[in-house]
Amino acid sequence: MSLRHALLATLDAGAMTGYELAKTFDQSANRVWHATHPQIYTELRKLERENLVVAQEEPRGTQGKATKRAYTVTEAGREELCRWVATVEEPTLPRDVAHLKATYFEYAPPDAAREQFAAHRAYHAEQLRRWEWHVEQLRARGTDLMQRRLAKAPKERHAAIVAYKVHVYEGMAERARAEVAWAERGLALVDELERDGFM
Amino acid sequence: MSLRHALLATLDAGAMTGYELAKTFDQSANRVWHATHPQIYTELRKLERENLVVAQEEPRGTQGKATKRAYTVTEAGREELCRWVATVEEPTLPRDVAHLKATYFEYAPPDAAREQFAAHRAYHAEQLRRWEWHVEQLRARGTDLMQRRLAKAPKERHAAIVAYKVHVYEGMAERARAEVAWAERGLALVDELERDGFM
């Protein structure tokens, strides 16, 4: 049930249409908690039915009768968000296919093992680049979402709002760095085993 | 579909009953790919229906007519395992509730943030202890599963069988170490924000 809370926290920055919410989510919480747009829309409808968010019709564009529905968090929604944030969660149990598969690389030819360590390295190097860029953006208070959050929050809370997000994304960057290093040691291991005739 | 391959790889060490397989899994692959006993039994029945494993009746104990069903991997099962091991997998998308929640700690009282960083540190410190112990056991070739694997495998393959598993579990230990460090920096951050009146 983490998606609903991530959506509440995102919407708490200010009114958004479903589409704006999904787009904003893609560029923020999605990097820590993956969800697709259909999942987001489904959850948003549930939040509305439970009165945790409320929709208001707003004019779309500057003329004509077209409207759009913009969602905001209700008082009950904010309470639910605060309750969730303050609750200690059970740790996520591991389901890590890259590590699971590497456990059994003796069943694969050396080049197949290499290909996978190389793919792992490439993926996490790219992730690392993204995390580092995101940390920079957060520190500079430069993301749209951050600017909306800070505009709504009392000044004395700004440091905490920024610092927790920076801490999380630095943690993700640190992890990606560890994955890159692990994949590199893996590549070295395949070379070593092959050189010594142990494959 | 990773569970079925982890079960094939486990059974490839030698014949096991469903119960022995589940117990062995708990002490090995379960630490990288979590599965419950009912999930394991369900998957084992599917593997049998698809002729990837085969069951044989064996006497239970030294006397009497009681029998048990011991499963082994078929030739088709081994081919399927090798095919899977050699295939590059899509990376797992992140779903990390501890990091997601920490993103929003400005919604929580400082003590609730502390409690969660402390729980995160305690959990991963305990995981770290387990990973380190498991690495020791693997290096010493001391686990039951490893001994069964090595007994079946040609001697020139032993180094690779051990080295890949050590590499995976060292990676998991490295990760747990990073999580402990992240939680500690989190605790320091809460103190700092509170001291500076930023909560």
Side-chain angles (χ1 to χ4, degrees):
Chain A
M1 297 299 277
S2 300
L3 176 57
R4 60 168 36 209
H5 299 100
L7 296 180
L8 288 172
T10 308
L11 279 179
D12 197 46
M16 297 177 200
T17 65
Y19 177 69
E20 283 165 354
L21 173 63
K23 252 182 43 185
T24 305
F25 189 86
D26 281 351
Q27 288 156 18
S28 55
N30 189 49
R31 295 166 184 196
V32 188
W33 191 271
H34 174 72
T36 63
H37 285 202
Q39 287 169 334
I40 291 172
Y41 295 134
T42 303
E43 196 60 46
L44 185 58
R45 280 193 296 273
K46 279 195 217 160
L47 289 169
E48 190 183 5
R49 276 203 302 277
E50 296 173 32
N51 296 315
L52 299 175
V53 305
V54 64
Q56 282 177 307
E57 299 288 331
E58 287 183 2
R60 181 183 295 277
T62 52
Q63 46 201 10
K65 287 180 228 154
T67 59
K68 58 182 186 181
R69 308 191 78 208
Y71 295 86
T72 49
V73 178
T74 63
E75 193 48 44
R78 206 164 199 279
E79 272 169 27
E80 174 54 22
L81 172 59
C82 292
R83 185 202 61 72
W84 174 77
V85 172
T87 310
V88 178
E89 200 93 12
E90 286 296 301
T92 313
L93 292 164
R95 284 216 157 169
D96 183 320
V97 70
H99 281 70
L100 179 65
K101 204 173 266 199
T103 310
Y104 309 121
F105 272 171
E106 72 265 23
Y107 290 98
D111 279 343
R114 274 191 194 97
E115 191 188 355
Q116 291 180 67
F117 281 130
H120 194 83
R121 179 175 61 179
Y123 175 74
H124 289 284
E126 171 62 17
Q127 289 292 99
L128 175 57
R129 207 189 51 73
R130 284 167 190 249
W131 299 124
E132 284 176 336
W133 186 85
H134 201 61
V135 167
E136 288 298 303
Q137 293 288 305
L138 289 171
R139 275 193 201 287
R141 306 181 176 197
T143 72
D144 287 351
L145 184 59
M146 180 61 88
Q147 288 182 0
R148 293 185 72 170
R149 275 194 202 292
L150 296 181
K152 270 190 68 184
K155 210 155 176 96
E156 67 273 17
R157 298 186 64 79
H158 287 196
I161 292 171
V162 175
Y164 283 129
K165 286 159 197 59
V166 167
H167 179 59
V168 166
Y169 289 95
E170 279 180 343
M172 300 302 279
E174 197 51 57
R175 258 197 208 171
R177 236 171 256 126
E179 295 301 323
V180 170
W182 180 75
E184 278 175 357
R185 291 196 307 274
L187 286 165
L189 175 61
V190 181
D191 288 349
E192 195 184 305
L193 289 168
E194 199 175 38
R195 191 195 58 217
D196 298 343
F198 285 140
M199 302 298 297
Chain B
M1 296 301 278
S2 300
L3 176 57
R4 60 169 36 208
H5 299 101
L7 296 179
L8 288 172
T10 308
L11 278 178
D12 197 47
M16 298 178 200
T17 65
Y19 177 69
E20 283 164 355
L21 173 63
K23 253 182 44 185
T24 305
F25 189 86
D26 281 350
Q27 289 155 20
S28 56
N30 189 50
R31 295 166 185 197
V32 188
W33 191 271
H34 173 71
T36 62
H37 285 201
Q39 287 169 336
I40 292 171
Y41 295 135
T42 302
E43 195 62 47
L44 184 59
R45 280 192 297 272
K46 279 194 217 161
L47 289 169
E48 191 182 7
R49 276 202 302 276
E50 296 172 33
N51 296 316
L52 299 175
V53 304
V54 63
Q56 282 176 309
E57 299 287 333
E58 286 185 2
R60 181 183 297 277
T62 50
Q63 48 201 8
K65 287 180 229 154
T67 59
K68 58 182 185 180
R69 308 191 79 207
Y71 295 86
T72 51
V73 178
T74 64
E75 194 48 43
R78 205 162 198 282
E79 273 169 27
E80 173 54 23
L81 171 60
C82 291
R83 185 202 61 74
W84 173 78
V85 172
T87 310
V88 177
E89 200 93 13
E90 285 297 300
T92 313
L93 291 165
R95 286 219 157 165
D96 182 321
V97 70
H99 280 69
L100 180 66
K101 205 174 267 199
T103 311
Y104 309 122
F105 272 171
E106 72 266 23
Y107 290 98
D111 279 342
R114 275 193 194 95
E115 191 187 355
Q116 292 180 68
F117 281 130
H120 195 83
R121 179 175 61 180
Y123 174 74
H124 288 285
E126 171 61 18
Q127 290 293 99
L128 175 57
R129 208 188 50 73
R130 285 168 189 248
W131 299 123
E132 285 177 335
W133 186 86
H134 200 63
V135 168
E136 289 298 303
Q137 293 289 305
L138 289 171
R139 275 193 201 288
R141 306 180 177 198
T143 72
D144 286 353
L145 184 58
M146 180 60 88
Q147 288 182 0
R148 293 185 72 172
R149 275 193 202 290
L150 297 181
K152 270 189 68 184
K155 209 157 176 96
E156 67 274 16
R157 299 187 63 80
H158 287 196
I161 292 171
V162 175
Y164 283 129
K165 287 160 197 60
V166 166
H167 179 58
V168 166
Y169 288 94
E170 278 180 343
M172 301 303 278
E174 197 51 58
R175 258 196 209 171
R177 236 172 255 126
E179 295 300 323
V180 169
W182 179 76
E184 278 173 358
R185 290 196 308 274
L187 286 166
L189 175 61
V190 181
D191 288 349
E192 196 185 305
L193 289 168
E194 199 176 38
R195 191 193 59 216
D196 298 343
F198 284 139
M199 302 298 297

